Amino acid sequence: MALWRGSAYAGFLALAVGCVLLLEPQLPGSALRSLWSSLQLAPAPPGPGSPEGRLAAAWDALIVRPARRWRRVAVGVNACVDVVLSGVKLLEALGLSPGNGKDHTILHSRNDLEEAFIHFMGKGVAAERFFSDKEAFHDIAQIASELPGAQHYVGGNAALIGQKFAANSDLKQVFPAVTSLGLNEQELLFLSQAASGPHSSLSSWNGVPDVGMVSDILFWILKEHGRSKSRASDLTRIHFHTLVYHILATVDGHWANQLAAVAAGARVAGTQACATETIDASRVSLRAPREFMTSHSEAGSRIVIDPSRPVAEWHREGVSFHFTPVLVCKDPVRTVGLGDAISAEGLFYSEARPHY
């Protein structure tokens, strides 16, 4: 219907301009151009029929709570206060001007901070670095905290995950075995590099992490370091999240409801970053690869993503993979703690199958 409506409008516009030329052939060209530009149709904002709208609606239909609810939750004890502000404004307040970017494994000074910020800002990725000078760090933190517009939030993995579970569960006990991990692209590649795993020769990801490479590393972690009859590890689940897509990898037989879980984790990435209760299709964009190979270490399959069916699933030697795109917030309001919110939301919708 929208296509026919647009065509009809264009036809009426052409007819109107034609009548003007017939009745007033001497009308100046500038007047005609002004008339035509004033009649241009603006593109319609993304709505329910857009890829973003269809994907969000498909998520809502897929996300259901697990049949078995969580009774025990393990949460660590670390907590802090996150200060959220413009990095550029902080550099200005510190008397630093933009220069050449350079990565530093450890930050020792304000100049190191400036160079690391510019380096990672240019790549469009987040980074965490240790600051060795205690006094200099506290000075920077104090200046940041007092800048106009600075926002303060509860931070730290344990506090953020605990908040998420406290909002959805009234039973908070601790269990000793670690069965699930949440990782971003930097952490995943670091694990592979540290243990000479798949694609460990990569120094860093070139833009969006390749889905097939990510899948290879996830499979290797679960096969080589996850649960088995001969290994004490209880690890059976990994939730990988990067800016434009998520993957849940699980050892078969240990987890259920992972289709809903991966969709829930991706959905909260869009809502929290945009500070909205639900996905606003006009404020997000679909940037994930529309097709990809599931592996580069072996003969993988090619998968094409349909926004109306946004979760793709494949299997490899006893490990199941669930992939979904992320609707990326165009103008993010709050990204601090986003990874923790993603992990907690995905875990909340997961169903752990008991093994005795």
Side-chain angles (χ1 to χ4, degrees):
M1 176 63 76
L3 179 62
W4 286 107
R5 187 184 302 119
S7 299
Y9 288 162
F12 285 130
L13 285 173
L15 179 61
V17 172
C19 289
V20 170
L21 288 172
L22 179 64
L23 297 175
E24 296 291 340
Q26 302 305 316
L27 198 65
S30 58
L32 286 174
R33 287 192 295 271
S34 177
L35 172 63
W36 180 252
S37 62
S38 69
L39 293 174
Q40 295 295 303
L41 292 174
S50 66
E52 291 81 3
R54 286 187 288 133
L55 195 149
W59 276 345
D60 291 338
L62 291 173
I63 297 173
V64 295
R65 295 198 173 191
R68 292 173 58 88
R69 301 293 297 278
W70 287 98
R71 297 184 58 193
R72 297 182 296 169
V73 178
V75 178
V77 295
N78 65 315
C80 63
V81 176
D82 287 329
V83 181
V84 182
L85 73 161
S86 164
V88 174
K89 290 182 178 178
L90 174 60
L91 294 183
E92 292 174 347
L94 295 174
L96 301 172
S97 57
N100 296 323
K102 180 182 178 182
D103 186 15
H104 293 275
T105 305
I106 298 177
L107 305 181
H108 301 285
S109 65
R110 293 186 178 191
N111 287 331
D112 286 354
L113 173 64
E114 174 216 345
E115 289 177 347
F117 174 82
I118 294 170
H119 173 78
F120 288 103
M121 191 72 172
K123 292 180 176 291
V125 297
E128 295 183 7
R129 291 293 182 264
F130 177 76
F131 206 109
S132 63
D133 189 325
K134 182 178 179 180
E135 291 185 3
F137 174 79
H138 281 292
D139 288 342
I140 293 171
Q142 187 70 27
I143 292 171
S145 183
E146 295 175 355
L147 276 179
Q151 301 176 17
H152 299 76
Y153 296 100
V154 172
N157 296 1
L160 291 166
I161 292 176
Q163 277 188 328
K164 194 66 181 179
F165 272 104
N168 292 284
S169 175
D170 58 359
L171 296 174
K172 310 264 310 317
Q173 300 177 17
V174 176
F175 63 98
V178 175
T179 58
S180 178
L181 290 176
L183 300 170
N184 63 28
E185 67 271 28
Q186 289 181 312
E187 294 160 342
L188 185 77
L189 187 57
F190 174 77
L191 280 178
S192 186
Q193 292 169 338
S196 300
H199 313 297
S200 57
S201 60
L202 287 175
S203 59
S204 62
W205 298 106
N206 183 19
V208 176
D210 182 276
V211 177
M213 291 183 176
V214 169
S215 174
D216 289 337
I217 300 174
L218 295 175
F219 176 78
W220 166 75
I221 293 173
L222 290 176
K223 276 295 184 181
E224 297 296 323
H225 304 281
R227 183 168 185 168
S228 69
K229 292 180 180 180
S230 61
R231 193 179 298 117
S233 173
D234 285 331
L235 179 62
T236 53
R237 177 183 182 274
I238 304 175
H239 188 165
F240 171 80
H241 50 86
T242 188
L243 178 66
V244 299
Y245 69 84
H246 293 179
I247 297 178
L248 261 176
T250 54
V251 176
D252 291 348
H254 294 272
W255 296 89
N257 210 45
Q258 294 306 279
L259 186 148
V262 72
R267 183 176 65 179
V268 80
T271 55
Q272 179 161 316
C274 283
T276 56
E277 291 295 324
T278 59
I279 293 290
D280 182 346
S282 67
R283 297 181 59 186
V284 295
S285 62
L286 179 58
R287 304 181 192 175
R290 297 299 184 95
E291 60 179 82
F292 54 84
M293 295 298 296
T294 60
S295 174
H296 292 292
S297 295
E298 63 173 28
S301 58
R302 181 172 296 278
I303 288 182
V304 179
I305 295 298
D306 176 2
S308 299
R309 302 179 63 185
V311 178
E313 182 178 354
W314 66 93
H315 305 270
R316 181 176 174 184
E317 297 180 29
V319 176
S320 294
F321 296 85
H322 291 83
F323 168 100
T324 192
V326 172
L327 292 177
V328 182
C329 187
K330 297 176 183 177
D331 187 18
V333 176
R334 183 185 177 192
T335 57
V336 171
L338 193 56
D340 301 313
I342 289 166
S343 296
E345 190 81 351
L347 194 58
F348 177 75
Y349 279 92
S350 295
E351 180 180 340
R353 290 174 172 168
H355 286 260
Y356 303 101

